[in-house]
Amino acid sequence: MSCGCLSKRRGDKHPNWRRGFTVTPDGYREIPIPGCTGPHRYKSEHRAIMEKILGRELASWEIVHHINQDKLDNRPENLQVLSRSEHAALHAALSAGGVV
Ligand SMILES: [Zn+2]
């Protein structure tokens, strides 16, 4: 069971600090993992919130989608769990409809 510490992400894409959380270059908010001191001590806030809602850890193939497309809007009602393929299909449909 990993807390995400062992993620291979390197410091070259250094996230920006903003009051207690970071925003990654691809626009996701990350929060510190309590008690974790590994090289990657942060996890995506939207995934952490969804794990809390589900009461279990998300599998690596499970994607938490932002329903309104705002990656910083991590309200539970804006989050939806999809498989990787469902998520790709949804985004393909959204961009085909002109809404990205
Ligand atoms: Zn998405």
Side-chain angles (χ1 to χ4, degrees):
M1 207 63 100
S2 163
C3 65
C5 290
L6 302 176
S7 165
K8 292 205 174 57
R9 179 130 45 125
R10 306 299 316 199
D12 51 292
K13 287 171 40 169
H14 213 78
N16 306 310
W17 268 107
R18 316 248 175 104
R19 300 170 179 262
F21 62 86
T22 64
V23 176
T24 64
D26 44 357
Y28 290 99
R29 188 180 294 171
E30 292 193 325
I31 55 173
I33 300 168
C36 182
T37 55
H40 186 78
R41 289 171 290 131
Y42 308 96
K43 70 187 294 179
S44 303
E45 187 184 54
H46 59 297
R47 291 183 69 85
I49 289 170
M50 185 51 77
E51 288 179 348
K52 199 172 281 187
I53 293 169
L54 297 176
R56 63 172 175 82
E57 291 207 10
L58 287 164
S60 57
W61 53 267
E62 288 180 305
I63 304 294
V64 178
H65 171 67
H66 290 84
I67 294 169
N68 70 1
Q69 309 279 302
D70 182 352
K71 292 170 184 171
L72 293 179
D73 186 350
N74 289 331
R75 289 171 301 144
E77 60 267 35
N78 189 42
L79 301 177
Q80 182 183 10
V81 182
L82 298 167
S83 71
R84 220 171 258 286
S85 55
E86 285 172 335
H87 186 240
L90 177 62
H91 273 265
L94 287 170
S95 42
V99 187
V100 181

